[in-house]
Structure formats: structure tokens, C-alpha cells
Amino acid sequence: MTNSAGKTGKTRIQREKNQQILEAALNVFSQFGFRGSTIDQIAKEAGLSKPNLLYYFPSKEAIHSELLSGLMDSWLDPMRELNADGDPKEEILSYVRRKLQMSRDFPRESRLFANEIIQGAPRILPAIEGELRELVAEKSAIIQGWINDGRIARLDPQHLLFSIWSLTQHYADFEVQVRAIMPADERVYPRAETHLETLFTRMISI
Amino acid sequence: MTNSAGKTGKTRIQREKNQQILEAALNVFSQFGFRGSTIDQIAKEAGLSKPNLLYYFPSKEAIHSELLSGLMDSWLDPMRELNADGDPKEEILSYVRRKLQMSRDFPRESRLFANEIIQGAPRILPAIEGELRELVAEKSAIIQGWINDGRIARLDPQHLLFSIWSLTQHYADFEVQVRAIMPADERVYPRAETHLETLFTRMISI
DNA sequence: ATCCATTTTGACCATTTGGTCAGGATCAGG
DNA sequence: CCTGATCCTGACCAAATGGTCAAAATGGAT
């Protein structure tokens, strides 16, 4: 995860501690949500005293918002790559694979977002209504174009995108449930990938 | 939502207040999670003083756990109805429709579960590893049977079930996001239903 | 080794939070 | 309309929480 934040600061110590704090905050916030998390908890997880942590960030709010905004960009990257000029099937399947990889490699980040959105997205609604909405409009148009050209089957482009998010993020957000149901030794992600490839292939094939 | 809880208690007032409290707690817990919610907040939402609320429930924990356990059963009902003797396609699509209806009619309940699971399911892991796991095993076997009989296309039954949960619950859990992206006047659920019918029809058709 | 900026800490504070309790208000049956 | 059971409240408490501050400790360039 490109942590655009946490790299700021001029001194060595500033960079290190900043990083530690954001890492710890990600652990805590992604599990308990903003209101359910405490500064003490984050400080402890980061190996700092509370006043020391507050030397680097002015408030709990500031840490959370730094995390979220630092994340917003890289979160949308997989969708940005969806290319109108590529092969429709390969474009869509690649997007699904990239998104599933993110769930596998950055589940905490996924849960941070999930928490935020379940709580009504108080801090990122503007970004959703702006940036994301626009991106969805753009990519939906591309997909609609493929449909009109008869290159993939008829479907609702917006809901197709929702489905991609839903299916891939599920493996991160509901990780505990998935693991509790699957046999303990089973490697979840390889099967998930095969499953989703099958699903979307059948969905878009003419 | 069958609120098996909240109907207990002998006096009229007990039944009423119990109901009010659980209703209010559902609002609060589903939005902020267990740790992010406060008794005061629930009491206020229920129109009671805090000590008065604590007259009916001994602790915050008790309210939460009553809500969750009261919900667990009705939450699994749609899956229980999946019947080995029915028509495979109709059985699966009916399940999807029932589940989507639940998202539409009981989004708070869905978010309550989502919150709980994201947080590592500390209070319901036993139920997941027991009841739910067993139910999944049973229904997976049915689906595998249909595959073996050549009545639906080859697929991973467990991941098919995950996909059904994921896709339907998404509309409740990420409601804010969906609404922020869709045109304001658009009726989300009718299109969602059509979309999911299409998706699962293509997925299972031979 | 010195010196200034950076970093860290303990002590502190106001508010919030989960929860208790004794006594007063209200209800429902006789 | 009396009475015991049920219900409700204000006052209270200890712990947790978000945050401040002055002073001590440390880092690093010279």
C-alpha cells in the first residue's frame, strides 16, 4: 500500500515514528472503527506514550484522516487501469484479479474503508460523491460501449462494478467468517480467484 | 425481523420498553459497532434515562448480545429454505431474492453483523464455527449434488454461497456508497434484483 | 564537547463513560 | 382508594478518554 503519508517530515525520527503510528492506527481503526478506537490503544500498539504520539499528530481525528486520505488514491488505482482499448474480457478479469490481490495483501485497509462506509462515510462522503462517482461514470461508459459493440453480454455496468467490489472485498472484510467456515488448512485465495474468474467469465460471455 | 427477544417480560411496560431499547440499540450498534456505542446514546435514542435503561438490561454487553442472538436465527432462515428436491435454478435464485429482500428490509441488522464480523466476531465466532459452518456444509453438499447430476454448471459450492452473501449484503452494508454513486432518484433494489438474477443465472447455467 | 532543536515524559485536567443506589413516583389488582 | 410491586430519577462513583504542558532527555551538526 503506497503510504504517501508517513513519509513526510524532515528528521529521521519523524519519518520513523510517523510510520509506526500510522501502522498501529491502521491495526486499531480497521478493527474497531473510529469511535471504538482510543489514542492509548494506538500509542501502545506503536510502542509510544500517549503524549509522545500526540507530539506527532495533533488529534485522533488527524491520524484517522491522514490514513484515509493517504489510502483513497491507491484504493482506486485498480479501477483506473481499466482500459477502453484493451480486450474487454481480459480488462474486466484483470481488474477483478487486481482487486482480489488487494484484499489478500491489504485486508486491514479494506476493513478500514468498510468500517468508514458502514458508519455512513462521515469523513469520505465528499470523495465518494466526487472522485469515485466520476470514475464509476467513466468506467461504466466504457463497459456500456463494449456491450453496444456486442463484445460482452448485456448487463448493468454500474452494478457489475458494485459486484466486483463486493465479491473481492468480501474476502478481506469478512475474513474471519470465511476462515471459520473453510477447512483450516485450505488456501482461500487461490480458490477464490478461480471462482471469481469463472463467475465473471460466465457473466460477460455472449 | 423476528425479534424473539424483546417480547419477554411479564408486564406491559416491560415488553414496551424492552422493545424500544432493542430498537434504539440496533440503530446505534449497527452504525458505531459495540465499542463505538455508548449507553447514553442508546438511552437517548430510546427516550429513556440511562439508569432507567439499566433497569431493563444489566449492561451494554447484555443489550448487544441479546440483539445478536435474537437475530442469528432469522438471519440464517433464507439459507435453511434451500431445498434439495426443488428445481436447482429456482432454488438458488429464490435464495438470492430472499437474501436481497433482507438487505432491503433489514439493512441495520445486516450492518450489525458486518460490524461484528469485521471486528473479528468476538461474540459470535462459536455460532459461526458451529451452526453456520454446518449449514454451509449441508447446503454445499446439495449444490454439489446438482452439479454431479449435471443440473447446473460446475462451480465451487462454498464460494457460490459466499458470493450470494457478499453480493446481497453489499447493498445494505455499503448502502451509503451505493446511494452516493447512483442517481438520487434511482430505485436501487429493482435494478439490483435484475442484475443478480442475470448474474446467477449465467453462473449456474450449463 | 557544546549548543540548539528535536523528542520524550510524568503530572495533570476536563469530560465522557459504564454502572450503582436510595428514595420517590406510578401502576395494577383487590 | 389502598397497597405492594413495578418503574423511574437524581445524585453519585471510579475508571477511561482526549488532550495539555512544562521540564527533562536526547540527537546531531559544528
Side-chain angles (χ1 to χ4, degrees), chain A residues 11 14 17 51 55-56:
Chain A
T11 80
Q14 262 168 43
K17 297 292 158 85
Y55 170 73
Y56 292 98

Side-chain angles (χ1 to χ4, degrees), chain A residues 12 17 26 29 32 39 57 65 77 79 88 101 110 123 126 130-131 134 141 152 158 161-162 170 192 196 201-202:
Chain A
R12 178 200 105 233
K17 297 292 158 85
L26 179 57
F29 282 137
F32 300 108
I39 298 184
F57 288 88
S65 112
D77 276 343
M79 182 158 45
Q101 266 169 36
S110 184
R123 283 161 257 272
E131 225 179 333
E134 213 171 307
I152 61 173
Q158 281 188 39
L161 293 176
F162 293 159
H170 184 82
L196 293 186
T201 300
R202 291 178 186 168

